[in-house]
Amino acid sequence: MTDKDKARVIDLNHTLTLKAQEAMRDIKRQHKILIENSLANRDAILRLYHADLILLAAISQDDITTAIASHLPEILDVVAVRLLVSPDSGFAALSHVSVITAAELNKLTRDNGMFLGPLNSAQQAVCDMVNIAHPKSVAFVRLPEDLPGITGAALLMLAGKETNSFTASHGTDLLEQLVMKIAVALLARPQASPNRRS
């Protein structure tokens, strides 16, 4: 190879090294995102497990609705949790349950069965009714209505601490599992605790 040919050769070692370094940075970023997602999923599953234990420990429907209002906010890391039911619901007479019309319940989820995100005017009105300061975000999840013994409509309301506590892009599997477990627990328990019966 002549000196003239050598002058025409482009040294790509530096360029290849830069590309390799950028690829490594991308891999590290992706790895970090995967780890963060994995930890968030683990945390959510652990919260659901603790909620399961609270539901299992309840011996009556009143115990369940009391636990929903008093224990689930801390377990789920939210401001408040409420069970909202229509007047014809079999759960309407339970403690810590808020009764609203079926039309109002439908507005809370925009007739969709679930809503995650910032409050709309109908949701603000319900927060005022149940004496909860307007949260930065909310989740409204309808309890299943196709279980034997379920009458009327019911929603679980979760008031988020942050604007990103509940967003439309969040997954819904854990919330769907939670409301299914609440519905089954309510159906499996008597209305009053045995020691409260007269």
Side-chain angles (χ1 to χ4, degrees):
M1 182 180 283
T2 65
D3 288 340
K4 191 174 181 181
D5 290 335
K6 287 180 183 176
R8 290 183 188 158
V9 172
I10 299 171
D11 185 4
L12 296 177
N13 285 335
H14 180 67
T15 303
L16 292 173
T17 301
L18 290 176
K19 286 191 179 217
Q21 288 172 343
E22 183 58 34
M24 285 301 294
R25 282 192 289 274
D26 282 343
I27 289 170
K28 286 181 181 178
R29 277 193 292 268
Q30 291 171 4
H31 183 69
K32 184 179 178 203
I33 289 169
L34 286 173
I35 289 174
E36 288 171 354
N37 287 341
S38 176
L39 291 173
N41 286 338
R42 186 197 66 172
D43 183 53
I45 290 168
L46 189 60
R47 289 179 189 280
L48 184 62
Y49 172 71
H50 288 151
D52 291 349
L53 294 178
I54 293 293
L55 295 173
L56 284 171
I59 58 174
S60 73
Q61 291 178 349
D62 269 322
D63 288 344
I64 291 170
T65 55
T66 299
I68 287 170
S70 60
H71 297 302
L72 286 191
E74 182 180 348
I75 290 170
L76 301 176
D77 193 29
V78 294
V79 175
V81 182
R82 292 287 186 280
L83 191 61
L84 310 173
V85 301
S86 61
D88 60 335
S89 169
F91 311 129
L94 299 176
S95 60
H96 302 286
V97 169
S98 299
V99 180
I100 61 175
T101 68
E104 288 172 317
L105 284 172
N106 289 336
K107 287 179 188 174
L108 297 177
T109 62
R110 298 177 180 162
D111 297 318
N112 193 23
M114 184 177 298
F115 174 87
L116 304 172
L119 287 172
N120 63 32
S121 58
Q123 295 160 347
Q124 289 175 359
V126 167
C127 286
D128 294 339
M129 280 175 41
V130 299
N131 202 24
I132 293 175
H134 294 178
K136 296 183 178 181
S137 62
V138 289
F140 287 96
V141 188
R142 188 176 290 272
L143 271 66
E145 296 176 20
D146 56 351
L147 295 175
I150 292 279
T151 58
L155 285 176
L156 186 68
M157 171 190 170
L158 298 103
K161 291 182 176 178
E162 307 296 336
T163 54
N164 65 349
S165 294
F166 300 106
T167 68
S169 64
H170 280 155
T172 60
D173 289 351
L174 292 176
L175 289 173
E176 290 168 353
Q177 286 181 39
L178 178 62
V179 295
M180 177 62 80
K181 290 173 181 182
I182 287 171
V184 170
L186 284 167
L187 290 174
R189 302 292 189 277
Q191 189 165 4
S193 298
N195 59 357
R196 291 186 197 151
R197 291 180 183 155
S198 49

